[in-house]
């Protein structure tokens, strides 16, 4: 049986390089007329989606709270055909390349924030050569310093897989049927739902907790065998 691991930031000396940036576009936060929560999600990032010529691009270029939920729904439905079927489009979902600045030199991976993983192109090429599945590097619009430093790509991580219901507190309300909010904190001992895990990917983010990035044993072994720095791994039980 395949083993799965929580992809975590490498500690201390494993983290080389830094950046300050944001994705180019994003859906606004909302106040839901059904559950009355004011919120925005974190982790649903679609860096490969280019909205340059989209009529809503200017509106989505600035973070804001959309007070009219119907307007939010209209914006969301304009974007839905541009993404693969069944892609979650939650309030706060982010699109397009990272824009900002970065300073190297860099480790093979840079995971400064939990939901974004940057990778050097040479490291990604070695992982592809090792046969890892579903790793897609997306160009950024970061300004890199110093000038001769190797640039980074952002990994586009698909939302696949779920936390098992058994590890979600029983007091948690079901997802809101209107806005989709499922309000709970990450369990101290996360457990993955075996039936939800894909067989064709070695890297994914969880659909019901998108800040959690999960990799297979194949990914972990390849990173360690190739001596690629910047990441650490914690095994997650599967049920």
């Amino acid at each position: 049986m395949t083993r799965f691991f929580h992809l975590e930031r490498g500690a201390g000396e494993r983290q080389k390089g830094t950046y300050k940036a944001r994705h180019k576009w994003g859906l606004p936060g909302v106040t839901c007329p059904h559950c009355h929560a004011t919120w925005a999600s974190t982790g649903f990032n679609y860096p490969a989606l280019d909205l340059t010529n989209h009529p809503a691009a200017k509106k989505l270029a600035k973070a804001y709270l959309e007070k009219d939920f119907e307007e939010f729904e209209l914006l969301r439905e304009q974007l839905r055909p541009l993404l693969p079927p069944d892609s979650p489009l939650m309030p706060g979902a982010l699109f397009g390349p990272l824009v900002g600045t970065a300073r190297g030199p860099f480790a093979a991976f840079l995971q400064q924030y939990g939901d974004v993983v940057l990778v050097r192109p040479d490291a990604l090429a070695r992982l592809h050569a090792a046969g890892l599945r579903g790793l897609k590097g997306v160009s950024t619009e970061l300004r890199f310093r110093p000038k001769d430093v190797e640039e980074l790509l952002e990994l586009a991580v698909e939302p696949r897989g779920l936390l098992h219901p058994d590890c979600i507190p029983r007091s948690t309300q079901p997802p809101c049927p209107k806005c989709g909010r499922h309000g709970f904190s990450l369990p101290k001992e996360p457990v993955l739902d075996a039936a939800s895990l894909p067989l064709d990917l070695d890297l994914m983010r969880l659909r019901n907790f998108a800040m959690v990035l999960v990799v297979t044993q194949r990914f972990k072994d390849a990173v360690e065998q190739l001596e690629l720095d910047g990441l650490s791994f914690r095994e997650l039980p599967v049920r």
Side-chain angles (χ1 to χ4, degrees):
M1 180 178 178
T2 301
R3 296 165 65 195
F4 293 86
F5 297 81
H6 186 185
L7 189 61
E8 300 180 335
R9 291 180 57 194
E13 71 280 359
R14 294 186 183 184
Q15 286 289 298
K16 298 175 186 174
T18 185
Y19 69 94
K20 183 178 181 180
R22 62 184 293 270
H23 289 94
K24 202 164 190 176
W25 303 283
L27 280 173
V30 297
T31 297
C32 177
H34 183 81
C35 70
H36 307 295
T38 298
W39 71 291
S41 63
T42 303
F44 290 107
N45 306 328
Y46 300 97
L49 181 57
D50 184 357
L51 299 180
T52 301
N53 298 315
H54 195 279
K58 186 175 181 180
K59 188 170 189 176
L60 298 178
K62 186 176 181 179
Y64 71 101
L65 177 67
E66 178 55 70
K67 297 179 180 179
D68 184 344
F69 193 83
E70 290 185 0
E71 177 63 22
F72 165 77
E73 291 181 309
L74 288 172
L75 284 170
R76 180 172 60 185
E77 293 314 306
Q78 289 179 46
L79 300 180
R80 196 174 296 282
L82 306 178
L83 291 168
D86 200 34
S87 297
L89 271 174
M90 298 295 187
L94 299 174
F95 315 105
L98 283 170
V99 180
T101 59
R103 178 165 292 278
F106 303 108
F109 294 94
L110 178 57
Q111 192 182 7
Q112 185 169 302
Y113 307 104
D115 61 323
V116 174
V117 180
L118 304 183
V119 61
R120 291 199 321 253
D122 65 302
L124 182 58
R126 295 175 73 190
L127 292 173
H128 282 153
L132 293 192
R133 303 158 298 179
L135 301 186
K136 181 179 180 181
V138 178
S139 296
T140 73
E141 293 185 9
L142 295 170
R143 299 188 303 278
F144 292 94
R145 296 289 185 272
K147 291 184 178 180
D148 60 347
V149 74
E150 187 168 15
E151 298 185 359
L152 298 172
L153 303 172
E154 180 179 354
L155 289 176
V157 186
E158 292 186 33
R160 307 270 293 273
L162 297 166
L163 289 172
H164 195 283
D166 288 354
C167 74
I168 298 174
R170 293 184 180 181
S171 59
T172 303
Q173 295 295 313
C176 174
K178 184 72 173 177
C179 69
R181 181 176 183 270
H182 196 191
F184 63 93
S185 299
L186 181 64
K188 291 183 179 179
E189 300 296 334
V191 179
L192 301 179
D193 184 347
S196 73
L197 297 170
L199 302 177
D200 59 340
L201 294 178
D202 288 308
L203 168 66
M204 69 206 77
R205 68 174 75 249
L206 298 182
R207 291 176 67 90
N208 59 351
F209 213 102
M211 286 288 290
V212 175
L213 304 184
V214 174
V215 299
T216 61
Q217 176 83 51
R218 285 163 49 92
F219 185 103
K220 177 178 181 291
D221 288 348
V223 166
E224 292 176 347
Q225 289 166 9
L226 295 170
E227 298 183 341
L228 302 177
D229 56 348
L231 300 176
S232 59
F233 307 90
R234 178 166 65 97
E235 186 164 6
L236 294 173
V238 178
R239 187 177 304 161

